Amino acid sequence: MKIKVCGMRDAENISELIKLKPDYIGFIFYEKSKRFVTSLPKVEIPSEIKKVGVFVNETIDEIIEIADKNKLEAIQLHGNESPKYCEELKVLLIRNVEIFKAFPIDDNFDFSITEDYQKVCDYLLFDTKGKEYGGNGIKFNWQVLDNYKGELPYLLSGGITKNDVQALLLFLNRQESKKCIGIDINSGFEIEPAMKNIANIKEFKQNLL
């Protein structure tokens, strides 16, 4: 089970997180986010932890420039990016960079929308539909994901906290949830925007894994 911690910004906070060895650390390159960064903090991140850049309706050229400058290993697209956009981005990225495509989920979400992304992305990410493009701090009804019939693995996101471990374990043990290969955490582990409670993340990871 992969753990992705998104919305990081403080160098010391990131250094403490690195000790917990998450699979991904996410940095939000979206100006309207409370967790916005212009570049990665001066922290040595081990190669086994992948650096993710989160973007919302950004130009492909800008993403490529930021990815190259910050040596990103993954790109998370959190806006209205089309399958064609994802395919073009994948081709133009110089290095082998993973592409995550996020979708805002509610009880009426039409999962057929994800079909055309199956061959142009590496992972999907299912987040709660809300006022913001992410970091809304609320959960959606995970049982809705039984309607997902695609082959592409996904990460589960949306208001997850350390108190959700038992519910997550029940969800992950259901046959319908086998495509879920990771948990994305953000606002549910924050002291303030972009500042994570490392003790809570440590407890969550130990209890989940």
Side-chain angles (χ1 to χ4, degrees):
M1 182 60 51
K2 298 179 185 293
I3 299 293
K4 182 157 80 66
V5 184
C6 207
M8 301 296 291
R9 187 166 58 203
D10 180 82
E12 187 175 339
N13 199 220
I14 294 168
S15 295
E16 290 299 309
L17 177 65
I18 286 170
K19 297 174 185 177
L20 303 183
K21 299 180 179 178
D23 299 279
Y24 298 91
I25 298 179
F27 302 91
I28 300 178
F29 294 91
Y30 175 55
E31 290 186 12
K32 294 182 181 180
S33 172
K34 293 177 286 188
R35 304 165 185 88
F36 172 61
V37 296
T38 54
S39 60
L40 267 59
K42 303 278 187 210
V43 182
E44 188 67 36
I45 298 176
S47 59
E48 60 267 23
I49 300 176
K50 295 182 178 180
K51 301 183 292 294
V52 186
V54 180
F55 300 89
V56 177
N57 299 327
E58 187 56 85
T59 66
I60 288 177
D61 287 346
E62 184 70 10
I63 291 180
I64 290 171
E65 183 178 334
I66 292 173
D68 189 49
K69 174 185 173 184
N70 295 283
K71 295 181 170 56
L72 300 177
E73 286 98 10
I75 302 295
Q76 182 173 315
L77 302 172
H78 235 288
N80 305 313
E81 299 87 2
S82 68
K84 184 178 180 181
Y85 176 105
C86 297
E87 184 177 22
E88 186 176 346
L89 177 62
K90 188 81 170 172
V91 169
L92 291 175
L93 285 163
I94 297 171
R95 290 169 292 109
N96 185 23
V97 177
E98 296 176 356
I99 303 289
F100 291 78
K101 180 67 186 82
F103 293 91
I105 305 296
D106 60 13
D107 288 349
N108 301 312
F109 183 75
D110 179 5
F111 283 90
S112 68
I113 294 169
T114 69
E115 290 176 5
D116 290 338
Y117 292 87
Q118 295 288 315
K119 293 182 179 180
V120 294
C121 298
D122 296 281
Y123 301 103
L124 304 183
L125 185 142
F126 295 133
D127 197 0
T128 309
K129 186 175 183 178
K131 293 181 179 179
E132 307 295 334
Y133 280 105
N136 289 287
I138 51 178
K139 282 184 279 293
F140 64 92
N141 175 15
W142 298 339
Q143 289 190 353
V144 173
L145 296 178
D146 291 354
N147 297 321
Y148 174 62
K149 305 304 180 184
E151 292 300 318
L152 206 62
Y154 66 85
L155 275 70
L156 178 64
S157 187
I160 294 167
T161 74
K162 70 171 186 175
N163 299 321
D164 292 318
V165 169
Q166 291 306 314
L168 281 169
L169 290 172
L170 287 172
F171 170 77
L172 294 168
N173 284 330
R174 297 171 67 241
Q175 185 61 40
E176 294 85 355
S177 306
K178 297 306 179 186
K179 294 287 191 314
C180 181
I181 51 82
I183 307 297
D184 175 277
I185 60 176
N186 188 350
S187 58
F189 289 83
E190 285 187 332
I191 302 164
E192 59 185 65
M195 184 67 70
K196 299 298 188 284
N197 186 318
I198 301 301
N200 284 356
I201 295 175
K202 181 178 181 180
E203 180 183 337
F204 174 78
K205 189 178 181 210
Q206 286 176 338
N207 291 336
L208 185 68
L209 305 181

